[in-house]
Amino acid sequence: MKVEEFKEWLRNVYVSKSGKHFDERTIDSRIANCKTVENHEGDLDKHQSDDCMSSLLSRLNYPTADQRQNLPMRHRIPIDGDRRKGSATLKTAVNLYKHFCAAQQSGERRCLAPAPSPTGPKPPVRDWPQWPEPTE
């Protein structure tokens, strides 16, 4: 992992969904999360070059349904506490590093947070149907 470059990118280039740069504490946390992933899953730059981190990100996914069934996590990272939230935190950090790698490749100077995934089009709003009142 390119720690210093990633740190500078988080500090000066990346803009969060709230429209601001991360503070130092958040930057340090994201880097620590990435280092934790590297310690158990291998070098993030290697994951990036192998498959743009898709297999790693897939393993870091731990949905609520898996948690409810107490299924094992697909990654090798030990998590104390809530396994779903812990996995999601690590996945968020890895996604940031993936975004950093993409920005480095394309030479982007300013990156915005990726837009949230659309859940699909909203159904049209319609008036509630009118029924005749029942008669006895």
Side-chain angles (χ1 to χ4, degrees):
M1 179 171 66
K2 300 170 186 137
V3 176
E4 289 306 314
E5 294 94 333
F6 184 42
K7 188 177 218 174
E8 286 302 310
W9 182 81
L10 289 172
R11 183 181 293 128
N12 300 313
V13 178
Y14 183 76
V15 178
S16 71
K17 291 176 186 174
S18 66
K20 299 177 183 175
H21 294 290
F22 287 145
D23 60 35
E24 289 301 312
R25 184 172 169 202
T26 301
I27 291 169
D28 290 343
S29 293
R30 296 299 170 261
I31 290 171
N33 294 149
C34 286
K35 286 180 178 180
T36 298
V37 172
E38 279 195 325
N39 288 338
H40 297 278
E41 294 287 335
D43 182 59
L44 291 181
D45 293 316
K46 174 103 170 76
H47 285 288
Q48 177 66 18
S49 66
D50 287 349
D51 65 357
C52 294
M53 296 198 207
S54 62
S55 61
L56 175 60
L57 290 168
S58 177
R59 285 195 309 276
L60 288 170
N61 191 39
Y62 190 70
T64 303
D66 288 3
Q67 184 181 33
R68 285 185 184 136
Q69 296 176 31
N70 203 25
L71 296 175
M73 297 178 294
R74 293 181 285 266
H75 57 79
R76 298 180 287 250
I77 307 163
I79 294 179
D80 295 329
D82 189 316
R83 295 185 296 175
R84 186 184 61 79
K85 287 181 183 175
S87 295
T89 298
L90 297 173
K91 185 177 177 182
T92 297
V94 169
N95 266 318
L96 277 173
Y97 193 75
K98 178 182 176 178
H99 199 57
F100 159 74
C101 291
Q104 295 293 311
Q105 283 183 327
S106 69
E108 279 183 46
R109 293 294 305 145
R110 186 158 183 81
C111 296
L112 299 175
S117 309
T119 57
K122 292 184 178 181
V125 177
R126 297 189 178 136
D127 292 331
W128 192 258
Q130 298 293 319
W131 291 285
E133 291 192 30
T135 59
E136 292 186 74

